[in-house]
Amino acid sequence: MSEQASPSSEADLGPQEREGTIELLGAIAYGAISGFTRMAADSEMARDLVLKRALAGMAVKEFHNHELLVDHVVELGGDPIEAMAPFRAAFDSFHARTRPRDLLEGMVKAYIGDGIATDFFLEISRYVEPTTRAIIERASSDHRDVDTIVAAVRAGISEDSRRSGPLALWGRRLVGEALTQGQVVASERDALSELVLGLNHDRPGATLEEVGELMQRLTDRHQSRMGRLGLAA
Amino acid sequence: MSEQASPSSEADLGPQEREGTIELLGAIAYGAISGFTRMAADSEMARDLVLKRALAGMAVKEFHNHELLVDHVVELGGDPIEAMAPFRAAFDSFHARTRPRDLLEGMVKAYIGDGIATDFFLEISRYVEPTTRAIIERASSDHRDVDTIVAAVRAGISEDSRRSGPLALWGRRLVGEALTQGQVVASERDALSELVLGLNHDRPGATLEEVGELMQRLTDRHQSRMGRLGLAA
């Protein structure tokens, strides 16, 4: 997508585009606070205090991301609680269907699940005006504790190689559930889809080909994360 | 206790006093991260997103307190993971024995449990040198979200007055469990007790009378918190 296709500032936003932008921020903000809760709760499984702190630190970054996004919803004249509400069911289902049974699964989820969500939102942020895009990018930066988590997963697998196959399946399940919930959201939220597809405003949105390329980039990055963990994607 | 009874700076710390100070910081730091985990997990029970954010915000403050205390352990030449280790069993038991069954219990616990722990550590901080004391005080300041929690508990009780009696009992149980675990810790950790009692260093520690007064202050403040929630202490 070319640069001039996106509006140049918040002030230029038409009402439908503003609505789509607020929806997008609401989705990411709810994803962040639900990620916070799950990661924080999963950190309880860590007996190793270094890992417990790393998971807690990742969770806390999610909370700060949440606050950043919520503040921007308010700046755009939206109500954050209303903006998040339509996305609760999807994120809550995702987490309910992907409860880690132990710390290794929890760490793979923290890295893989967070990674897919972040990549997806970064892709979508290309279709919003620059201020919002910058905020989404800031909320998407990697946490320094990610390296600790990756190293711990690799160590866990090398200690017990029988974990490797089931964890690879677990990674695939995480993507599958994320895609399922993503499709539910996309089919229900018109303003958000229109934002990406460029409907109802006078600039070109994503073509079908671009949507295909987007999916390919998401898949590639997911595979590279799985590879970093030493798992087959 | 008089001001001159405490050492005037970190540099003046004798080895035993340093050990006691590091133990104290380790205890508070582990309390903070375990409080973080429990509060964050309990925030999952909140359907109301405003409350969910308030509980999450309180949890995140605990994590930042944890980081502040851990950094100071490092400054004093201690190993934070080692310093926290002796206190895990006590805090973990406390939390295992006081799992809230619903959001109202969770909010009472966040307010009452956190309040008792904070008061206790603030009392003990009088017996440590000023730099450490200032850090403990900073880590003990009230979170702005406390008011949201207090209001929500009051609203919950006024909606269903039958909750009042059981929640008052719950408050008493929280204190009882906290005292039990506090006594276990005190009986096991010599350096910490000696810090308070002024043994093994050349300044007066707390007299038995002062320990009695300390307990009275803790009780008074607990009662005033219960009163603020509209509960009989």
Side-chain angles (χ1 to χ4, degrees):
Chain A
M1 180 193 154
S2 60
E3 273 304 312
Q4 74 266 33
S6 59
S8 59
S9 87
E10 295 167 28
D12 296 343
L13 287 179
Q16 269 153 327
E17 220 170 333
R18 182 181 298 268
E19 193 191 331
T21 304
I22 290 174
E23 277 202 354
L24 174 63
L25 290 166
I28 313 180
Y30 190 75
I33 198 163
S34 69
F36 158 79
T37 314
R38 286 316 314 157
M39 246 183 250
D42 292 345
S43 76
E44 224 175 355
M45 293 187 285
R47 294 300 306 158
D48 179 331
L49 271 173
V50 174
L51 282 184
K52 192 191 272 285
R53 290 188 62 199
L55 278 166
M58 281 182 74
V60 167
K61 181 168 188 300
E62 292 279 353
F63 183 77
H64 292 308
N65 292 343
H66 165 82
E67 288 194 312
L68 204 62
L69 297 157
V70 155
D71 288 347
H72 192 50
V73 168
V74 173
E75 277 161 22
L76 291 176
D79 174 339
I81 304 292
E82 263 176 46
M84 288 188 280
F87 304 101
R88 292 184 71 156
F91 282 104
D92 290 357
S93 299
F94 171 75
H95 288 299
R97 295 169 67 90
T98 58
R99 293 243 162 185
R101 278 163 307 178
D102 63 15
L103 181 64
L104 261 178
E105 285 193 0
M107 291 189 298
V108 170
K109 181 176 169 182
Y111 179 59
I112 294 292
D114 204 51
I116 299 165
T118 298
D119 281 348
F120 178 70
F121 292 131
L122 276 176
E123 288 284 352
I124 305 292
S125 76
R126 298 174 175 220
Y127 300 92
V128 299
E129 49 78 28
T131 312
T132 300
R133 187 186 317 153
I135 286 166
I136 295 175
E137 281 167 2
R138 216 179 116 199
S140 305
S141 59
D142 252 5
H143 192 269
R144 60 187 154 85
D145 288 322
V146 160
D147 293 339
T148 308
I149 300 297
V150 169
V153 172
R154 294 184 68 95
I157 295 168
S158 82
E159 267 166 41
D160 181 0
S161 60
R162 286 165 306 178
R163 297 296 307 261
S164 174
L167 283 175
L169 277 177
W170 172 243
R172 262 169 265 168
R173 196 163 133 224
L174 290 168
V175 190
E177 294 289 350
L179 285 178
T180 304
Q181 298 304 332
Q183 278 159 357
V184 170
V185 166
S187 67
E188 285 173 357
R189 308 308 304 172
D190 289 345
L192 195 52
S193 316
E194 286 162 6
L195 184 78
V196 175
L197 298 173
L199 305 175
N200 287 321
H201 51 75
D202 55 1
R203 51 189 182 81
T207 61
L208 266 186
E209 195 189 342
E210 284 171 339
V211 171
E213 287 164 1
L214 183 160
M215 293 306 290
Q216 188 56 51
R217 282 192 297 272
L218 291 181
T219 309
D220 289 348
R221 289 197 208 109
H222 166 66
Q223 288 182 335
S224 101
R225 273 188 294 269
M226 291 291 276
R228 218 185 137 201
L229 294 178
L231 294 172
Chain B
M1 184 194 153
S2 60
E3 274 303 314
Q4 74 265 33
S6 60
S8 58
S9 87
E10 294 168 28
D12 296 344
L13 288 179
Q16 269 153 327
E17 219 169 331
R18 182 180 298 268
E19 194 192 329
T21 304
I22 290 173
E23 277 202 354
L24 175 63
L25 290 165
I28 314 181
Y30 189 75
I33 199 163
S34 68
F36 158 80
T37 314
R38 285 318 312 159
M39 244 183 253
D42 291 346
S43 75
E44 222 175 357
M45 292 187 286
R47 294 300 304 157
D48 179 332
L49 270 174
V50 174
L51 283 184
K52 192 190 273 285
R53 290 188 62 201
L55 278 166
M58 282 182 73
V60 167
K61 182 170 187 299
E62 292 279 352
F63 183 76
H64 292 308
N65 293 343
H66 164 82
E67 288 193 313
L68 202 63
L69 296 157
V70 155
D71 288 348
H72 192 51
V73 168
V74 173
E75 276 161 24
L76 291 176
D79 174 340
I81 304 294
E82 263 175 45
M84 289 189 281
F87 305 101
R88 291 184 72 155
F91 282 103
D92 290 356
S93 298
F94 172 76
H95 288 299
R97 295 169 67 90
T98 58
R99 293 243 162 184
R101 278 163 308 177
D102 63 15
L103 181 62
L104 261 180
E105 285 194 359
M107 291 191 297
V108 170
K109 181 176 170 183
Y111 179 58
I112 295 291
D114 203 50
I116 300 165
T118 298
D119 280 347
F120 179 71
F121 292 132
L122 276 176
E123 288 284 352
I124 305 292
S125 75
R126 298 174 176 220
Y127 301 93
V128 300
E129 49 79 28
T131 311
T132 301
R133 189 186 316 156
I135 287 166
I136 295 175
E137 282 167 3
R138 213 177 117 201
S140 304
S141 59
D142 252 7
H143 192 267
R144 62 190 153 81
D145 288 323
V146 160
D147 293 339
T148 309
I149 300 298
V150 169
V153 171
R154 294 185 67 96
I157 295 168
S158 82
E159 268 166 38
D160 181 0
S161 61
R162 286 166 305 181
R163 297 295 309 259
S164 173
L167 284 175
L169 277 176
W170 171 243
R172 263 169 265 168
R173 197 166 131 221
L174 291 168
V175 190
E177 294 290 351
L179 285 179
T180 305
Q181 298 304 330
Q183 278 159 0
V184 170
V185 167
S187 68
E188 285 174 357
R189 306 310 303 171
D190 289 345
L192 195 52
S193 318
E194 286 162 7
L195 185 77
V196 175
L197 299 173
L199 305 174
N200 287 321
H201 50 75
D202 55 0
R203 50 189 185 83
T207 61
L208 266 186
E209 197 190 338
E210 285 172 338
V211 172
E213 287 164 2
L214 183 159
M215 293 305 290
Q216 189 56 51
R217 282 192 298 273
L218 292 181
T219 309
D220 290 348
R221 288 196 210 112
H222 167 65
Q223 287 182 334
S224 100
R225 273 188 295 268
M226 290 290 277
R228 215 182 141 202
L229 293 179
L231 294 172

